[in-house]
Amino acid sequence: MEEVHYYHMYANGDDAQNFITTEEEFKTAFNRFGVCQYVSGVKLLSCSDEDSHPHSLLYGSYEKCMRFKELYESISIRSIIQNRGSADGVVLKCELLQIEDMEHLMNTGTYTIIQATKDGKAVMPYDYRFGTGALYFRSRYSVLPWLVDDNGRVCEPVPFGSLTRRAQLRLCSSKYSIPDDWLVCNGFILPTNYIDVKAFENIYRSHNCFRVFLASNKARDQLILQRMAMNRGVMVEDLLARKYCEEICISLIGRKTAKYATIEQRLTIASTLRTRYHLAYRQLATLVYIPESELRKYVK
C-alpha cells in the first residue's frame, strides 16, 4: 500500500519573476491547478498563484504529488511559450516539501492562501480570485468570487461539457482536459470541483482555530520560510560541488566519481553531501546520476 503524506508545493519567486504578467495569465495559471489535480489524481486542499510563483497543499503518495508538480511546471512553461512566443526567461522549478508535524501543516495550510494579502495586494484571502481562501469555513449565504463578473453581477456556472471545443482548450491551456460535469464560470474552472474543502477544514476543526492561524505572524512565517529554504538546499558552484563529491567518492569507493558506484553507494554519497553541505536536490541528482524524483524518495 502506498504511503501518503501532506506536501507543500511551491516555487522560488526570484527564479520565476515574470511567471504571470496579465489578468488572463492569472486565470490560466489558476485553472491549471484543477487540470493538474484531475490528471495526477492527488488530493488538493488549497492553492494560490502570485505574480512570480504558485503555492499549494497536497495530500497523497509521493508519486502522485510529484506528478502534480511536474505537470504544473511543464504546462505552465508551454502555456507561456504559446502566449508570449518564448519562455520569456521564466524558470519555474517547483519544490515538493513533505510536511512532518501538525504545527507545520496548520501553518502551511494558511500560508498557501494568504500570500496575496501578505504581498501587499489590497484584497483579503476570501476575496482573492486566484486562491482558494473563499472556500473554507464559509456560510451557505456566501457568494464565491469566481461567480461574480467584472460588472458585479452574480453569474450562473455551466458544465464544462457544454462549452465549445475552442473554449474548453482556452480554459485548460493544455492537451489535457477535465470532466464534462465540472462547473465553470467567468473563465474559471471552479475550485469547488477539485479542492477537498472538508479535508482542509478538518486540519483546523473550528472557525476560531482557523482564524488564529489565518492571522499569520512573523514567527510562523519564519518557520515556514526556514523549512522551504532547507528543503530547497544550497546551490554552490558546480566545480566546488564536484570537489565535495570527489572527496566523498574517494573515501567510500576509491574512485573520483559516483558513476562507478552501486545504487546503494550513490544514495550514501548523496545523503552525505546533503547532510554535510546541504546541496540542492537538482545538483545532487547530477552528481550521483540518479533522477531527482527518485533521489527525493530516499534522501532527506
Side-chain angles (χ1 to χ4, degrees):
M1 188 172 180
E2 291 180 323
E3 282 192 15
V4 291
H5 300 279
Y6 290 99
Y7 292 91
H8 179 193
M9 190 207 81
Y10 60 94
N12 186 349
D14 292 334
D15 292 338
Q17 293 180 20
N18 54 343
F19 169 51
I20 296 174
T21 59
T22 66
E23 180 85 2
E24 192 59 32
E25 286 185 350
F26 260 111
K27 281 189 178 182
T28 57
F30 188 58
N31 286 339
R32 209 169 291 140
F33 285 120
V35 174
C36 294
Q37 184 281 322
Y38 177 68
V39 176
S40 68
V42 75
K43 184 179 288 189
L44 181 57
L45 280 70
S46 63
C47 58
S48 66
D49 271 316
E50 279 296 287
D51 309 64
S52 60
H53 60 284
H55 281 280
S56 59
L57 178 59
L58 313 174
Y59 182 74
S61 67
Y62 176 82
E63 288 73 20
K64 285 184 177 181
C65 293
M66 180 58 70
R67 173 68 169 150
F68 179 95
K69 178 188 91 73
E70 291 173 344
L71 276 170
Y72 198 90
E73 292 170 339
S74 62
I75 295 175
S76 295
I77 295 301
R78 288 195 191 103
S79 179
I80 289 170
I81 293 172
Q82 183 177 7
N83 292 331
R84 304 182 202 172
S86 72
D88 200 20
V90 176
V91 178
L92 185 66
K93 288 292 184 182
C94 296
E95 300 288 341
L96 201 59
L97 171 58
Q98 183 175 321
I99 296 174
E100 303 289 352
D101 57 72
M102 195 63 186
E103 183 181 14
H104 185 201
L105 176 60
M106 297 172 88
N107 284 330
T108 300
T110 50
Y111 190 87
T112 60
I113 61 175
I114 63 174
Q115 290 305 296
T117 304
K118 287 180 62 62
D119 288 350
K121 288 185 172 66
V123 63
M124 295 301 289
Y126 44 76
D127 289 325
Y128 187 55
R129 297 194 301 165
F130 311 113
T132 57
L135 296 176
Y136 315 110
F137 295 99
R138 306 305 300 277
S139 78
R140 59 193 177 96
Y141 305 109
S142 302
V143 177
L144 297 177
W146 310 285
L147 303 182
V148 182
D149 68 14
D150 293 337
N151 296 313
R153 294 180 300 228
V154 178
C155 303
E156 189 71 24
V158 299
F160 178 76
S162 68
L163 302 179
T164 64
R165 180 60 179 159
R166 186 174 181 179
Q168 290 178 348
L169 289 171
R170 188 165 59 248
L171 272 178
C172 295
S173 65
S174 72
K175 66 180 181 180
Y176 301 102
S177 191
I178 57 174
D180 284 346
D181 61 352
W182 278 23
L183 296 178
V184 302
C185 192
N186 293 319
F188 288 97
I189 300 171
L190 296 183
T192 47
N193 295 297
Y194 58 85
I195 294 293
D196 195 327
V197 176
K198 187 55 64 178
F200 184 95
E201 291 179 341
N202 285 342
I203 294 171
Y204 303 93
R205 302 198 176 185
S206 72
H207 290 68
N208 196 43
C209 179
F210 179 58
R211 176 193 62 81
V212 170
F213 279 87
L214 199 59
S216 181
N217 57 41
K218 286 185 178 180
R220 289 198 187 108
D221 287 349
Q222 194 58 38
L223 288 173
I224 292 289
L225 292 172
Q226 286 174 355
R227 302 245 191 166
M228 290 165 62
M230 288 176 63
N231 181 64
R232 198 159 48 231
V234 178
M235 288 290 288
V236 304
E237 291 183 359
D238 288 341
L239 285 175
L240 185 56
R242 280 199 291 271
K243 178 177 178 293
Y244 292 152
C245 187
E246 284 179 6
E247 292 172 352
I248 294 170
C249 287
I250 289 171
S251 66
L252 183 66
I253 63 172
R255 306 292 288 268
K256 285 188 174 183
T257 173
K259 186 181 295 185
Y260 303 102
T262 65
I263 293 297
E264 290 76 13
Q265 289 170 332
R266 292 182 192 188
L267 290 173
T268 299
I269 293 166
S271 182
T272 304
L273 286 167
R274 179 74 175 169
T275 302
R276 191 175 298 174
Y277 304 109
H278 206 68
L279 297 187
Y281 284 105
R282 289 193 289 278
Q283 209 158 29
L284 287 175
T286 301
L287 292 170
V288 301
Y289 305 94
I290 295 177
E292 181 184 343
S293 60
E294 291 298 309
L295 196 61
R296 285 176 177 267
K297 296 179 185 178
Y298 305 104
V299 177
K300 301 299 181 183

